[in-house]
Amino acid sequence: DHDPGGEHLDAAQFDRAWRVFEPFYRELGVDRPEPPARFHPGYDEQVDALLEARPPVFSFVFGVPSPAVMQACRARGILTVGTATSVAEAEALDAAGVDAIVATGAEAGGHRVSWLERAEDSLMGTFALVQLVADRVRAPVIAAGGIADARGVRAALTLGAQAAQIGTAFLACDESGTTDAHRAILFGPQAHRTRLTRAFTGRLARGVRNRWIETFETRQHELPPFPVTSWFVSNLRAAARAAGDTGLVSLWCGQIAPNLRHRRAAELMQALHDGLASAPRSSSAN
């Protein structure tokens, strides 16, 4: 729930962080926020709530839960799905006994969820990662990153995955909860220019290149650690959206976005179903 130095800030540290974001607060007419009791919900509290809720599946990123948490999930019949950006991470998840492993390549939109090495050093492409992971783990592999249609799903299955996870294509659908402006950008020329950046949260993530990303391209060293950056940016989000300013908000987007075709989830699902039904599945998916 935090990177080193991101759990608590003293008054001087908070002031230094504020100065990084102050010009944008002033531009949008947002007052300086008061330091919070904490910048992010505690991981342990989230896990306690999850175990109490007993969802069918616990999908997690940025690491492996403790053996006690894994055992508690098994005792409650909760399937566990961990996410890996490298072979080493996949092997660690497999050793922990997860029920499935998401192998997420650098093409994916949103956060890079690396945890054994720096995210910048764990940028293997999806289809190389899927093949390497599938040959080395016992758990089923779910391919993620750069997949938006049945063709991509079939390729993932052929390379050893048992399933595929689609993100950006669903973000582009009206039902996704993204803003109208974000969805319009996903279908426009800007989607050809994605960028990996730490500027929105303090952790590496892929989004459409915009003013915020460009501002911090050479200033990422000034950003406070996660989740402090995320907290300061979140206080600006509503004002930026109200102003219709897509230059100051995160626009998560995978590299496959220029191939998006569907604006309704039902249409996307139907296209996936029809595309997969029209071609034989690989033996690895049976």
Side-chain angles (χ1 to χ4, degrees), residues 50-245:
L50 178 135
L51 294 175
E52 181 179 343
R54 292 192 177 207
V57 180
F58 173 23
S59 175
F60 48 86
V61 294
F62 293 121
V64 187
S66 69
V69 171
M70 294 293 291
Q71 180 55 40
C73 288
R74 295 186 193 103
R76 290 164 175 76
I78 300 172
L79 297 178
T80 53
V81 181
T83 308
T85 64
S86 68
V87 172
E89 290 175 354
E91 290 175 334
L93 289 164
D94 202 41
V98 299
D99 293 297
I101 297 169
V102 178
T104 177
E107 302 95 325
H111 280 91
R112 304 304 306 141
V113 296
S114 307
W115 40 280
L116 287 181
E117 295 187 60
R118 288 193 326 141
E120 288 86 348
D121 298 326
S122 305
L123 295 176
M124 186 176 293
T126 299
F127 290 137
L129 182 63
V130 166
Q131 293 177 80
L132 292 170
V133 169
D135 285 351
R136 288 164 175 81
V137 300
R138 295 161 297 182
V141 175
I142 303 169
I147 303 171
D149 55 24
R151 174 176 53 178
V153 175
R154 288 198 303 270
L157 299 178
T158 298
L159 295 175
Q162 280 70 50
Q165 183 169 296
I166 294 174
T168 302
F170 281 105
L171 279 182
C173 294
D174 293 343
E175 300 88 348
S176 71
T178 51
T179 64
D180 293 343
H182 188 167
R183 293 193 298 276
I185 286 171
L186 291 177
F187 283 103
Q190 279 182 266
H192 288 261
R193 301 175 69 240
T194 65
R195 177 77 174 176
L196 287 166
T197 181
R198 290 182 177 267
F200 288 106
T201 66
R203 286 181 175 170
L204 196 67
R206 183 180 297 282
V208 174
R209 190 184 184 100
N210 62 3
R211 178 185 162 201
W212 188 274
I213 291 176
E214 290 172 353
T215 296
F216 286 101
E217 272 191 324
T218 59
R219 297 176 55 199
Q220 292 197 51
H221 63 282
E222 299 177 27
L223 295 169
F226 175 86
V228 180
T229 288
S230 182
W231 182 83
F232 272 104
V233 173
S234 69
N235 287 313
L236 290 171
R237 189 178 301 123
R241 287 177 175 172
D245 191 341

